[in-house]
């Protein structure tokens, strides 16, 4: 198991390095986030020990269950899944430093309330639905700037950039536009020079399309399958959720 994960990490590292070189970017500009859905703590720790400390969970229950097994000082935790308001307390309790999936003011208001109570702040990314799929969460691209402006007024949330889940397709011509849209929103937001908005990060690209994402400006690529192997559950278990969930 350890050898396989190390070999997979080496392969992903080569892909990221090559994509950066092809795009005229420095390797240091792109972080590898370990997408650890359904991955147990022991396997995650192998990847962390290999020098990849940024991990992202999709489910609050998994975040909680793995918290002690992984440790608290050797990694940085992002939350990358759809966030329900009644689970926000756990997000703050179990060491998350950045929520990449902000797309509703109800979540923002609850976060602000709890962060004020605890006298702390948190980094966030705004999730944009660049594939225009009903099954995916995220703010519509045409509504993203106004949403960013509104979130920026909540001082306990520090906007660091944007996140998107691109179209699940093997066709580059279908995938690339998703990443171009996110880059366009980023540039529009930067031009406004909004207070409390940094817009440094673009979290986009996964195992199957990370090269395209890096070419289009990704600063965080989220990779799970290509490192830890195929999972029992399909991606739809994590991404295609009921829109009625609050």
């Amino acid at each position: 198991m350890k050898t396989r994960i190390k070999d997979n990490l080496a392969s992903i590292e080569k892909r990221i390095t090559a994509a950066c070189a092809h795009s005229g970017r420095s390797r240091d500009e792109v972080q590898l986030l370990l997408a650890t859905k359904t991955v147990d703590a022991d396997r995650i720790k192998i990847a962390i020990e290999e020098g990849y400390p940024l991990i992202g969970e999709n489910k609050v229950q998994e975040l909680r269950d793995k918290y002690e097994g992984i440790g608290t000082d050797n990694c940085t935790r992002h939350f990358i899944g759809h966030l329900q308001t009644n689970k926000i307390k756990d997000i703050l309790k179990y060491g998350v430093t950045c929520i990449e999936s902000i797309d509703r003011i109800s979540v923002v208001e609850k976060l602000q309330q709890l962060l004020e109570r605890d006298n702390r702040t948190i980094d966030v990314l705004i999730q944009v639905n660049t594939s225009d799929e009903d099954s995916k969460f995220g703010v519509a691209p045409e509504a993203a700037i106004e949403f960013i402006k509104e979130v920026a007024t909540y001082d306990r949330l520090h906007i660091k950039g944007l996140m998107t889940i691109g179209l699940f397709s093997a066709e580059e011509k279908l995938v690339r536009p998703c990443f171009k849209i996110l880059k366009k929103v980023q540039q529009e937001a930067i031009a406004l020079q909004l207070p409390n908005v940094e817009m440094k990060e673009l979290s986009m690209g996964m195992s199957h399309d990370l090269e395209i994402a890096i070419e289009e400006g990704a600063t965080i690529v989220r990779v799970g399958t290509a490192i830890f192997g195929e999972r029992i559950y399909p991606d739809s278990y994590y991404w295609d959720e009921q829109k009625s969930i609050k």
Side-chain angles (χ1 to χ4, degrees):
M1 177 180 69
K2 184 173 184 178
T3 299
R4 186 182 308 116
I5 291 173
K6 290 175 67 173
D7 289 346
N8 289 345
L9 281 167
S11 177
I12 291 296
E13 180 61 39
K14 287 180 181 178
R15 288 175 60 188
I16 294 174
T17 300
C20 288
H22 178 74
S23 307
R25 301 178 62 190
S26 167
R27 172 63 185 88
D28 295 339
E29 294 179 34
V30 181
Q31 296 184 79
L32 171 59
L33 179 147
L34 307 173
T36 52
K37 55 190 178 187
T38 76
V39 180
D40 61 62
D42 288 341
R43 289 193 290 159
I44 296 169
K45 284 163 66 175
I46 293 170
I48 293 172
E49 289 166 1
E50 287 300 304
Y52 297 93
L54 180 58
I55 64 176
E57 288 288 357
N58 293 71
K59 296 286 185 180
V60 174
Q61 181 177 342
E62 286 194 49
L63 173 70
R64 181 181 64 240
D65 292 347
K66 301 173 195 176
Y67 182 70
E68 291 186 5
I70 293 172
T72 58
D73 300 324
N74 58 348
C75 66
T76 300
R77 289 176 171 84
H78 284 198
F79 189 78
I80 60 177
H82 178 66
L83 181 57
Q84 301 173 45
T85 53
N86 64 346
K87 299 294 180 67
I88 291 175
K89 287 183 180 179
D90 283 339
I91 290 291
L92 300 179
K93 182 178 179 180
Y94 293 105
V96 169
T97 61
C98 179
I99 301 172
E100 296 197 10
S101 49
I102 296 296
D103 66 351
R104 302 181 326 285
I105 288 300
S106 59
V107 168
V108 171
E109 290 173 342
K110 186 65 173 180
L111 271 169
Q112 176 78 12
Q113 175 188 343
L114 293 175
L115 290 165
E116 285 180 346
R117 183 198 67 185
D118 297 340
N119 192 27
R120 56 177 290 199
T121 62
I122 197 166
D123 293 343
V124 300
L125 305 185
I126 305 301
Q127 182 175 354
V128 183
N129 185 353
T130 58
S131 62
D132 194 29
E133 294 174 276
D134 290 339
S135 61
K136 291 201 175 81
F137 288 96
V139 182
E142 60 271 19
I145 293 299
E146 289 306 313
F147 184 72
I148 290 166
K149 289 179 180 178
E150 187 171 4
V151 177
T153 64
Y154 292 80
D155 64 342
R156 298 290 174 161
L157 283 68
H158 296 164
I159 301 175
K160 298 297 183 179
L162 308 169
M163 183 271 266
T164 197
I165 302 164
L167 194 70
F168 291 124
S169 173
E171 295 188 50
E172 179 179 332
K173 66 180 180 181
L174 299 178
V175 174
R176 190 178 294 275
C178 298
F179 302 145
K180 284 184 174 293
I181 288 170
L182 201 69
K183 184 67 176 181
K184 182 175 182 289
V185 174
Q186 179 199 40
Q187 294 304 309
E188 291 175 356
I190 289 172
L192 293 175
Q193 297 184 325
L194 299 169
N196 197 29
V197 178
E198 193 171 337
M199 278 296 138
K200 176 185 176 183
E201 306 294 354
L202 286 182
S203 177
M204 58 188 191
M206 293 185 269
S207 296
H208 64 289
D209 57 13
L210 66 87
E211 286 88 355
I212 303 170
I214 289 171
E215 289 171 9
E216 297 300 334
T219 63
I220 300 172
V221 292
R222 309 182 302 271
V223 181
T225 300
I227 294 171
F228 301 109
E230 294 292 337
R231 300 175 176 87
I232 297 173
Y233 300 109
D235 280 326
S236 60
Y237 174 75
Y238 294 90
W239 302 120
D240 301 342
E241 304 190 40
Q242 297 297 317
K243 287 303 187 72
S244 62
I245 295 174
K246 301 298 181 184

